[in-house]
Amino acid sequence: MASATRTFARASSAFRTGTRNTLLTVSRQTFRCQRRGYASEPTKSSSSGLLIGVGALALGGAGYYFYTQGNGSLLSGSSGETKGIFTPRFEDYQKVYNEVAERLEEKDDYDDGSYGPVLVRLAWHASGTFDKETGTGGSNGATMRFAPEGDHGANAGLKAARDFLEPVKQKFPWISYSDLWILSGVCAIQEMQGPTIPYRPGRLDKDIAACTPDGRLPDASQGNKHLRDIFYRMGFNDQEIVALSGAHALGRCHTDRSGFEGPWTFSPTVVTNDYYDLLLKEKWSWKKWNGPKQYEDKTSKSLMMLPTDMALITDKSFRPWVEKYAKDNDLFFKDFSAVITKLFELGVPFAESTEKMTFKPTNA
Ligand code: HEM
């Protein structure tokens, strides 16, 4: 620790004050985080990312590679000369997008054939901790890298998503984890044939001190009041709660993660409005098993609904939106794109000049 600190001190003295301050902040965070330790689930992914900073600093006389967290940074060549500030542009973010898309295509032996759904869940759980009253939580910080947040029951299983992204972070060390997780959610939705999701970069990774308390994400065993408590706290209304829930067209529940079991739809790796359609058209009854209370469809007995999903058709204000989205996929795509963009941007202090980016899907 001491020699790494000295290496940092030597290296940082070579740079102008503004950059040095940024680097010092990043480095102090790095050392503090190392002392405090990470969540038991995400240790590998998070520590290696932060260690990039230390590794870069340790290059010493061989030259320096310095990256801030996505908003521009000093980039030096291996011969030691400073090359200038690296400011990522749209093309750079599209490269990250393409890399995630390529890995999604390659790694098709996971779950139902794609990491896409779990990447969407990672981006949502990173964002869904936001509290509009205090301005805390949200995607700006990627604090799920640390215990206790990574170990919150609601986040069980998301290490798979973080590990999937670690090689991408290593290939593009200039992007913050916070921006990477959201960009990957955007990529997963688009690559799974969903709507275009506009993206803005600018999130900064925060220290362990910014971890949010347990209990900010929804509890699937509850009902409509709980959904409103959780989503109103983030700043959403009833229509938006229903539109966001359409993400459950994707993926599945796992007994070793949430305790629940099974997918919501027959095409869990394609974004569709099937979730709403099935909610309305199927007959749902309690599944007979020893696990937590969940519903199963009468026809195939292979699909599931959570108590919170069923609340969308028993609640008078939610139900009309379920009916609208079941009838009109274009409307669902339009509203889903708008509401998930809002979710991904909760509490992020973007610079005014930050423009929305639209990535080209690889299968377009
Ligand atoms: C409305 C309240 C919500 C509740 C109670 C809830 C609960 C759950 C639960 C229990 C799982 C299963 C986790 C597992 O066992 O692997 C799950 C999975 C998932 N959730 Fe939600 N969720 C909610 C909202 C959302 C929202 C707003 C999104 C995204 C916009 C979302 C996206 C997903 C996805 C994509 C999966 C599948 C993950 C996978 O296949 O690994 N959920 N959710």
Side-chain angles (χ1 to χ4, degrees), residues 7 10-11 54-66 78 80:
T7 309
R10 261 205 317 275
V54 179
L57 297 169
L59 283 172
Y64 314 114
Y65 281 87
F66 287 119
S78 56

Side-chain angles (χ1 to χ4, degrees), residues 110-112 116-118 120-121 124-125 154 156-157 218-221 226-227 231 241 244-245 247-248 250-260 264 306 308-309 336 340 343-344:
Y110 173 80
D111 236 2
D112 295 302
V118 80
V120 175
R121 184 169 166 246
W124 136 239
H125 281 211
D219 169 358
S221 67
H226 174 73
L227 282 182
F231 284 92
I241 293 172
L244 276 173
S245 300
H248 281 172
L250 298 170
R252 60 168 56 245
C253 294
H254 306 78
T255 43
D256 59 342
R257 296 180 181 180
S258 59
F260 298 98
W264 291 265
L306 300 163
T308 40
D309 295 313
F336 182 69
I340 205 152
L343 171 73
F344 288 169

